[in-house]
């Protein structure tokens, strides 16, 4: 078992005392004790300095330290400690290198393109093999290259400048091959580095297009048989056979619900296929008046309806699509609010020069766990309540797509038992001055 550092010090001090004692005795024998003692001390100091110089030379040269001497003494103890520390450091370095190689091998094997970039200069630090196929980047050829220049014609410079607030680019042509459709996601995982992840979404986009075409075709084909069913139901007179009245009434309600479902599916398919809008000025004063009338007609006097126009501006966009979105929100508020409840529609200024249209109700409310999924197709918080109110489960999906086409967003706040607030927020670029208002201004 190697001696401890304390034992080494004790042995060194004992050796020092022994040497100095012998030097003193020898000096006394010749009648010169102090010179003999000084020479012995200088000799020992020189030996220690030489030992120290040798150890420092080994450390400075960064070479593997030789195995320490098995003897005692403080320098032997220091050499043992240095040798052990150096071995531990080398072991950690080997493990870190192995981990880095393993992580790099994993990143290189990913089918998605992974690019590590400097956050300040927006230059490439490293990229994996898939980056060459999807982005045209190759390591080490493009190390230090500007991402904005290498990923042309993608407009990524402004996108990269957004940092943590950069929204994913879900569908874009690859700069390496325009026939490849990719999605881009920016992950700022440290103060100095970005992780850019690109994925081939061509197959996904083709499947999505097939789904949209299928839904649109089926919905269109259902129109004809539904029209025939409606025609025959209208020919039936329940007064001829009173016992048929509840049956015929239920058939009419269900056929109307099916027709509404088909219309909503067609609307959603059309919105999903759109990339742009026909821009026009949307007069909000008559729009709000229309929403009030629709809410009162659906509620049939069971609710109080308030409409407030605090913005005094109009919007730029599609009047048809915006009315569809706002009308869905108002209809949902009325359907899911018990009799005696209150519906409030407010059009008001928003932060950054934008505007917001909010629909507030005092209805049942929605549990927080469901809020994130409300805009999914056919997602329902309560299927039984949906059947009672006649909803199709597509209204909020339509609202989401309409707002996306207008570069707007939908925010939902709700509390069970107290009601919900659905807010459509539009940026300043969608706001237009209300130059002429010949319609009646909604007010309360």
């Amino acid at each position: 078992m190697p001696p401890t550092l304390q034992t080494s010090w004790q042995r060194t001090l004992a050796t020092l005392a022994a040497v100095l004692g012998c030097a003193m005795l020898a000096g006394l024998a010749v009648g010169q004790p102090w010179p003999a003692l000084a020479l012995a001390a200088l000799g020992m100091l020189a030996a220690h300095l030489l030992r120290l110089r040798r150890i420092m030379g080994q450390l400075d040269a960064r070479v593997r330290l030789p195995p320490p001497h098995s003897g005692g003494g403080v320098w032997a103890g220091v050499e043992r400690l240095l040798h052990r520390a150096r071995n531990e450091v080398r072991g950690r370095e080997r493990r870190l290198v192995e981990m880095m190689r393993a992580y790099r091998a994993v990143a290189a094997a990913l089918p998605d393109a992974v690019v590590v970039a400097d956050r300040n200069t927006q230059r490439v630090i490293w990229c994996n093999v898939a980056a060459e196929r999807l982005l045209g980047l190759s390591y080490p050829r493009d190390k230090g290259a500007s991402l904005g220049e290498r990923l042309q014609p993608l407009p990524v410079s402004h996108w990269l400048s957004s940092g943590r607030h950069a929204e994913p680019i879900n569908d874009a042509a690859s700069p390496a091959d325009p026939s490849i459709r990719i999605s881009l996601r920016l992950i700022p995982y440290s103060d100095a580095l970005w992780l850019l992840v690109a994925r081939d979404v061509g197959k996904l986009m083709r499947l999505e297009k097939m789904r949209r075409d299928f839904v649109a075709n089926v919905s269109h084909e259902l129109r004809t048989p539904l029209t025939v069913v409606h025609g025959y139901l209208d020919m039936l007179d329940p007064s001829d056979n009173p016992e048929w009245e509840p049956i015929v009434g239920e058939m009419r309600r269900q056929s109307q619900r099916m027709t509404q479902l088909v219309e909503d599916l067609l609307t959603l398919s059309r919105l999903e296929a759109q990339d742009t809008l026909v821009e026009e000025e949307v007069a909000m004063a008559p729009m709000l008046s229309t929403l009030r009338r629709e809410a009162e007609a659906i509620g049939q006097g069971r609710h109080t309806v308030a409409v407030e126009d605090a913005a005094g501006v109009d919007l730029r966009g599609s009047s048809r699509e915006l009315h569809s979105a706002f009308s869905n929100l108002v209809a949902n508020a009325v359907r899911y609010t018990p009799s005696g409840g209150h519906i409030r529609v407010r059009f008001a200024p928003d932060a950054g020069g934008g505007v917001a249209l909010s629909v507030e109700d005092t209805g049942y409310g929605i549990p927080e766990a469901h809020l994130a999924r409300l805009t999914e197709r056919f997602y329902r918080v309560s299927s039984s309540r949906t059947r009672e109110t006649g909803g199709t489960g597509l209204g909020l999906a339509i609202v989401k797509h309409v707002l996306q086409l207008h570069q707007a967003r939908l925010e939902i706040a709700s509390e069970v038992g107290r009601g919900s607030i659905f807010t459509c927020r539009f940026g300043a670029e969608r706001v237009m001055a209300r130059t002429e208002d010949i319609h009646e201004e909604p007010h309360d």
Side-chain angles (χ1 to χ4, degrees), residues 10-28:
Q10 292 174 352
R11 290 183 178 180
T12 301
L13 291 175
T15 303
L16 178 61
V19 171
L20 292 178
C22 292
M24 178 64 74
L25 292 176
L28 289 174

Side-chain angles (χ1 to χ4, degrees), residues 13 17 21 31 92 107 139 169 173 197 231 244 248 281 298 330 368 376 399 402 412:
L13 291 175
R92 286 195 296 269
Y139 182 83
I169 299 176
V197 180
W244 290 3
V248 173
E281 182 176 356
I298 298 173
V330 171
E368 185 177 358
E376 295 180 11
V399 172
V402 169
I412 306 173

Side-chain angles (χ1 to χ4, degrees), residues 177-387:
D177 184 354
S179 65
I180 299 177
R181 308 300 296 182
I182 61 173
S183 68
L184 295 173
R185 181 178 296 273
L186 186 64
I187 306 173
Y189 69 96
S190 76
D191 294 335
L193 300 176
W194 276 332
L195 191 67
L196 178 65
V197 180
R199 173 171 296 178
D200 185 349
V201 294
K203 183 178 180 180
L204 182 63
M205 299 306 296
R206 289 191 295 272
L207 291 174
E208 183 67 13
K209 185 177 184 303
M210 291 173 59
R211 182 196 63 78
R212 288 199 304 265
D213 292 344
F214 172 78
V215 171
N217 292 334
V218 170
S219 301
H220 184 74
E221 292 299 324
L222 285 175
R223 274 181 161 177
T224 300
L226 281 173
T227 302
V228 174
V229 171
H230 282 316
Y232 282 116
L233 287 175
D234 289 339
M235 293 173 59
L236 294 176
D237 188 357
S239 61
D240 295 339
N241 295 282
E243 66 275 11
W244 290 3
E245 183 172 359
I247 300 174
V248 173
E250 181 63 21
M251 291 172 66
R252 286 175 176 169
R253 285 191 294 272
Q254 294 301 328
S255 64
Q256 290 170 357
R257 183 182 175 193
M258 187 67 179
T259 301
Q260 184 61 52
L261 177 60
V262 169
E263 294 300 326
D264 285 350
L265 282 171
L266 287 172
T267 299
L268 189 56
S269 297
R270 175 175 54 79
L271 290 171
E272 290 176 334
Q274 279 185 259
D275 294 326
T276 58
L277 289 168
V278 177
E279 301 285 351
E280 59 184 354
E281 182 176 356
V282 181
M284 288 304 296
M287 174 79 75
L288 294 172
S289 297
T290 300
L291 294 176
R292 178 203 293 274
R293 290 193 296 270
E294 290 177 354
E296 292 172 345
I298 298 173
Q300 298 180 351
R302 298 192 307 270
H303 313 87
T304 59
V305 180
V307 177
E308 178 184 352
D309 185 1
V313 297
D314 291 333
L315 292 175
R316 178 183 286 107
S318 169
S319 179
R320 173 189 176 187
E321 309 300 359
L322 287 177
H323 174 260
S324 173
F326 299 156
S327 180
N328 267 300
L329 293 179
V330 171
N332 282 346
V334 175
R335 289 193 185 103
Y336 294 101
T337 299
S339 298
H342 181 72
I343 310 297
R344 183 189 184 203
V345 180
R346 187 170 189 268
F347 186 54
D350 199 15
V355 291
L357 184 138
S358 60
V359 179
E360 181 177 359
D361 63 63
T362 57
Y364 305 109
I366 305 166
E368 185 177 358
H370 297 279
L371 294 181
R373 301 189 59 190
L374 284 180
T375 56
E376 295 180 11
R377 304 175 188 87
F378 299 109
Y379 185 80
R380 294 169 177 172
V381 177
S382 173
S383 57
S384 60
R385 186 172 294 166
T386 301
R387 284 193 295 269

